Amino acid sequence: MADKTAPDLAEQMKAIQSELLALSETVRSYTRDHAAAGAEAVRDAASRAGSAAHDAAEEARRRGEHLAEDLQGHITANPLPAVLVAAGIGLVIGAILGRR
């Protein structure tokens, strides 16, 4: 009877080994699939963030151009006050730098 149990035990060990190999392959496959999905999600999020940043920068550029055009229009319409304001700012900066 001892002889019969040894082959049964060996077969059971081989079956357990086979199941462990199959399980480890399943875990590897699951990890690989989910890692790929996670990487894709990160790429998508980065792409959306890049697009949003580009859109925000483009909007800021348009607003800056609009403000510059408005300022230029005010200076052209009222050159004397613009020159006086610029001179006043120059005097203030000169006084601040002159104290050093």
Side-chain angles (χ1 to χ4, degrees):
M1 191 157 180
D3 293 333
K4 190 173 183 183
T5 11
D8 287 342
L9 186 58
E11 287 177 25
Q12 288 177 357
M13 290 296 288
K14 285 182 184 180
I16 290 172
Q17 257 183 335
S18 174
E19 287 179 21
L20 284 174
L21 286 173
L23 180 61
S24 66
E25 181 55 39
T26 301
V27 168
R28 260 195 299 269
S29 175
Y30 179 82
T31 303
R32 184 175 43 245
D33 293 345
H34 282 75
E40 184 66 29
V42 169
R43 279 192 293 275
D44 289 345
S47 176
R48 285 191 306 270
S51 294
H54 180 268
D55 293 346
E58 184 64 26
E59 178 64 24
R61 184 190 64 77
R62 278 189 293 235
R63 284 184 177 184
E65 287 177 352
H66 182 68
L67 289 173
E69 290 172 2
D70 285 350
L71 182 61
Q72 186 176 7
H74 286 295
I75 291 171
T76 303
N78 303 308
L80 183 60
V83 170
L84 292 175
V85 167
I89 292 172
L91 287 173
V92 169
I93 292 175
I96 291 172
L97 293 177
R99 290 184 183 171
R100 292 184 176 190

